[in-house]
Amino acid sequence: MSTPFEDRPAVPDPFESAAVLDARSLRGLAHPLRMRVYQLLQKAPATGKVVAEKLGISSASASYHLRQLETYGFIREDPDLGTSRDRWWRAAADGFRLPEHLDTEAPELTTALRHAIAAGWSERLGAAVNQWSAQPEGWREAQFMSDRTLSLTLEQAQSLRAELIEVLNRYTAEGNAGTPGERTVHVQLAAFPQPGPDPAPDLAVDTGPEDSP
C-alpha cells in the first residue's frame, strides 16, 4: 500500500543512535520511578541531589535508582562536571529502542516498561491540563488533545504508524533551537487494537478531528 510520504526524501531518524534494549537491560528501565530519573537525565546532566529535589524523592532513593541505571548502561558519570563531593550523571544514549521480538521473549518486562512510560505520559498530560487555560494566547489554541476510534486493516495500521513517525521525525530534524518564541513541546501518540472483543463493524466511530477542552 502506497503512502503520501513514499516520494519524499528520507527524514533523518532522531533515534538512530539510541540504545537497543535486550532482555537484560529491560530490567533497568521497567520501573516507573527509574524511568522518571532516566527521562530527567535525558534533558540535562544532574547530581543525585538535583534528581531527588526535582522528583521529590529521598536522596537514598535517587542514589539507588542512579546506580541501577548505571549498572544497566543507561547513564554514565560525567567527570568533567563532577567534584570531590558531587557526582554528575548524564544519559549514555539518545533514547532507546524496544525491539518487537522482546514482546515474546520477555513479555512481563516489556509490559512493565510500557506501564512505566504510560505513567510518565499520564503525569505530564495531567500537568499540562492544569496549565491549559493559563497558556498565553496562540499557544493556548495551538495545544490540543485528540482521540480517534478507527476501523483499520493491519496494512492500514502499519501505514498510519509509518506516516506519523515520518511527521515526528521531520519536525525533529527541522529543529528551532534558539529561535525566538521557541518552546519545548511534548507529543504523545499511541495506537492499539481495542482491548477485549472487537466491536461490530457498525460500531466503529470517528470522534472528529479534535476533541479538546
Side-chain angles (χ1 to χ4, degrees):
M1 175 182 294
S2 62
T3 75
F5 302 97
E6 288 184 345
D7 297 329
R8 293 186 180 181
V11 178
D13 182 356
F15 289 96
E16 184 176 1
S17 60
V20 179
L21 302 186
D22 55 26
R24 176 186 178 276
S25 58
L26 259 174
R27 299 181 184 278
L29 282 181
H31 186 287
L33 182 52
R34 201 168 303 149
M35 176 62 71
R36 293 176 63 197
V37 173
Y38 175 71
Q39 290 174 332
L40 181 63
L41 295 178
Q42 281 280 305
K43 298 176 183 177
T47 64
K49 180 180 179 181
V50 171
V51 169
E53 291 175 349
K54 285 187 174 294
L55 299 184
I57 59 178
S58 68
S59 296
S61 180
S63 178
Y64 170 75
H65 289 297
L66 286 168
R67 289 197 304 271
Q68 289 297 303
L69 288 170
E70 181 189 25
T71 296
Y72 288 98
F74 290 106
I75 65 172
R76 59 181 175 82
E77 188 175 358
D78 190 334
D80 294 334
L81 296 176
T83 66
S84 58
R85 297 185 58 184
D86 292 317
R87 302 173 68 186
W88 284 76
W89 302 95
R90 66 167 62 248
D94 296 329
F96 63 86
R97 292 184 184 276
L98 180 62
E100 295 178 0
H101 66 80
L102 290 180
D103 281 310
T104 55
E105 295 178 12
E108 297 85 359
L109 289 175
T110 58
T111 297
L113 175 59
R114 289 191 172 95
H115 273 300
I117 295 172
W121 285 8
S122 179
E123 181 179 357
R124 185 174 290 166
L125 181 58
V129 168
N130 288 337
Q131 299 177 19
W132 200 280
S133 300
Q135 293 290 352
E137 185 176 356
W139 282 105
R140 187 168 57 249
E141 291 76 23
Q143 61 191 348
F144 67 93
M145 294 170 60
S146 182
D147 177 65
R148 301 287 187 94
T149 301
L150 308 175
S151 179
L152 302 176
T153 64
L154 174 58
E155 291 74 16
Q156 288 174 321
Q158 292 171 331
S159 178
L160 174 63
R161 170 180 170 173
E163 291 179 26
L164 291 174
I165 290 176
E166 195 277 346
V167 170
L168 292 175
N169 288 352
R170 176 159 51 86
Y171 276 90
T172 301
E174 289 178 1
N176 290 295
T179 302
E182 176 266 342
R183 296 179 64 182
T184 298
V185 175
H186 295 285
V187 180
Q188 299 179 356
L189 289 175
F192 45 86
Q194 177 169 301
D198 288 335
D202 60 348
L203 293 183
V205 296
D206 185 332
T207 61
E210 181 175 329
D211 300 312
S212 304

